Amino acid sequence: MFARKIGLILSLCALSAGLVGCGARSDNGSRMQSYPQDGYLGITDVNPNHPLSPTYHHYQDDLAMIDRTARQVSGVTGVSIQADGLDARVRISVLTTDRAEAERIRAEVYQRIIENVPRYNLEVTTVTAK
């Protein structure tokens, strides 16, 4: 009889310990969030290549963004873009003949494009405008 009571108490303790561990709180005490019921486990909000995402673009949109971004940099007079899959080669024409200034312009164009269209393997080269 005594063994049966001990067994029952231990079983209830194990059951209650198991149920306590199933709460919806993380280790740091904050409430855990569930995924939206969109069938994609919430990735539609963060995946830029998903057509339902507001950041989804086609090549045409990406190339227009690259062109517009490059032309905003002071000293750039022309832009030529060649895209092949995830590789984009951008050729910019600059007014200066100073190599250091041309490199500064190239680096600024590269940085701005990477910030605005980060999905491409980018190569930026300069040529002197005539």
Side-chain angles (χ1 to χ4, degrees):
M1 184 83 168
F2 181 71
R4 204 176 218 185
K5 285 184 181 180
I6 297 256
L8 181 63
I9 290 172
L10 289 177
S11 296
L12 287 174
C13 287
L15 180 64
S16 64
L19 291 175
V20 168
C22 293
R25 291 202 177 266
S26 65
D27 290 341
N28 64 7
S30 63
R31 290 293 278 170
M32 294 173 53
Q33 300 293 318
S34 63
Y35 292 115
Q37 299 300 317
D38 60 359
Y40 293 101
L41 298 176
I43 63 171
T44 55
D45 294 336
V46 296
N47 187 350
N49 293 322
H50 193 282
L52 299 178
S53 172
T55 60
Y56 178 76
H57 291 125
H58 299 284
Y59 278 120
Q60 214 171 19
D61 298 331
D62 288 344
L63 297 182
M65 174 71 82
I66 290 171
D67 184 71
R68 196 169 42 250
T69 301
R71 290 181 188 277
Q72 289 175 352
V73 176
S74 178
V76 174
T77 59
V79 178
S80 172
I81 306 165
Q82 180 183 8
D84 181 25
L86 291 178
D87 297 324
R89 287 174 286 291
V90 180
R91 188 176 190 179
I92 57 172
S93 298
V94 294
L95 286 174
T96 185
T97 55
D98 181 31
R99 287 185 182 176
E101 179 66 11
E103 175 56 27
R104 184 199 64 76
I105 293 170
R106 187 206 67 76
E108 185 176 346
V109 167
Y110 177 87
Q111 186 62 36
R112 286 190 182 186
I113 292 172
I114 283 295
E115 288 172 359
N116 286 296
V117 192
R119 70 180 127 261
Y120 291 96
N121 300 319
L122 184 63
E123 177 187 338
V124 178
T125 57
T126 60
V127 293
T128 304
K130 296 178 182 178

